[in-house]
Amino acid sequence: QKEVEQNSGPLSVPEGAIASLNCTYSDRGSQSFFWYRQYSGKSPELIMFIYSNGDKEDGRFTAQLNKASQYVSLLIRDSQPSDSATYLCAVRPSGTYKYIFGTGTRLKVLA
Amino acid sequence: DAGVIQSPRHEVTEMGQEVTLRCKPISGHNSLFWYRQTMMRGLELLIYFNNNVPIDDSGMPEDRFSAKMPNASFSTLKIQPSEPRDSAVYFCASQTGENEKLFFGSGTQLSVL
């Protein structure tokens, strides 16, 4: 079992729809969870982080964390073509400095 | 703030040659990470430095890989000898001790022929 798993996609959604990206992790003791966006040929950039169970909203983005089920998700409301990118889930297990990344989900927002 | 600076942006070399990748972290950041990204394996952590000291190099694939951080503003990742399977994008990232946000450099696209 991989430490952090994501569906590679591509996930295609029409412009204006909600995009839902999911991630599961294996270390039950993990405490910190991150979503990075990576445009083709560019470096990853942090868009959201979440530490506690529940939802965290920032503009059109909402991160959801369920530690009991060991999954974290990212919702993008009112998806725009400019949101088309690969979204990387990262987990920091407790007591470590390491950030374990999933292989990413490619999102396509269709105009 | 210029961000994390990596050089070169692209490197094409032949199998068996030595390759040196360079990284300048953001001033004041005390943690530095080297990652390798491939389609199949995603982002893999190679080595982590804290206050210029290598803390964990368990992700370094084999003895052909080595990394140094002689001071707070410079780090190198060296591959000697290089092999075609080393072809990947290599990212350097830095971080302060006060938050968990990783700042990535632009990466080095390495192609070993």
Side-chain angles (χ1 to χ4, degrees):
Chain A
Q1 181 186 6
K2 292 182 180 178
E3 292 180 271
V4 178
E5 293 205 55
Q6 296 180 256
N7 188 316
S8 61
L11 172 66
S12 295
V13 299
E15 183 176 358
I18 296 175
S20 178
L21 306 163
N22 300 311
C23 170
T24 58
Y25 59 95
S26 60
D27 186 334
R28 185 171 288 278
S30 298
Q31 298 294 322
S32 308
F33 308 86
F34 309 85
W35 283 100
Y36 282 78
R37 178 177 61 200
Q38 186 175 26
Y39 292 112
S40 180
K42 302 296 184 181
S43 57
E45 56 177 335
L46 182 69
I47 53 172
M48 290 286 290
F49 61 89
I50 186 167
Y51 300 145
S52 303
N53 274 330
D55 295 0
K56 179 181 179 182
E57 187 175 316
D58 184 1
R60 295 187 297 111
F61 299 98
T62 299
Q64 298 176 319
L65 175 61
N66 184 321
K67 290 186 179 180
S69 300
Q70 295 176 239
Y71 83 77
V72 57
S73 60
L74 179 70
L75 301 179
I76 306 175
R77 289 181 300 280
D78 188 23
S79 296
Q80 300 297 309
S82 59
D83 295 325
S84 298
T86 295
Y87 289 80
L88 303 169
C89 173
V91 174
R92 183 175 179 179
S94 63
T96 79
Y97 50 84
K98 294 183 178 183
Y99 297 83
I100 311 299
F101 284 82
T103 53
T105 298
R106 190 154 63 98
L107 173 67
K108 289 185 174 181
V109 181
L110 307 173
Chain B
D1 188 345
V4 177
I5 299 173
Q6 291 187 246
S7 64
R9 288 297 307 275
H10 303 276
E11 177 80 34
V12 180
T13 191
E14 293 186 346
M15 183 174 64
Q17 296 299 305
E18 178 180 296
V19 175
T20 299
L21 311 181
R22 298 172 175 80
C23 175
K24 176 179 169 58
I26 294 172
S27 177
H29 284 196
N30 59 359
S31 297
L32 186 140
F33 302 77
W34 281 100
Y35 282 91
R36 177 172 67 177
Q37 187 175 39
T38 60
M39 288 292 291
M40 290 298 296
R41 301 172 70 92
L43 268 170
E44 299 175 282
L45 178 63
L46 300 176
I47 188 168
Y48 160 71
F49 291 88
N50 185 253
N51 292 324
N52 312 338
V53 176
I55 303 300
D56 186 344
D57 65 356
S58 60
M60 297 286 260
E62 47 198 272
D63 291 345
R64 298 185 297 105
F65 285 68
S66 63
K68 295 181 179 179
M69 192 164 187
N71 56 61
S73 59
F74 185 64
S75 178
T76 59
L77 178 67
K78 184 177 293 186
I79 308 172
Q80 166 62 18
S82 58
E83 296 183 1
R85 59 193 169 120
D86 301 330
S87 298
V89 180
Y90 290 80
F91 286 105
C92 173
S94 70
Q95 177 193 49
T96 70
E98 299 169 357
N99 64 61
E100 299 198 66
K101 182 176 180 179
L102 289 178
F103 292 81
F104 283 84
S106 299
T108 295
Q109 173 75 62
L110 174 64
S111 297
V112 182
L113 306 178

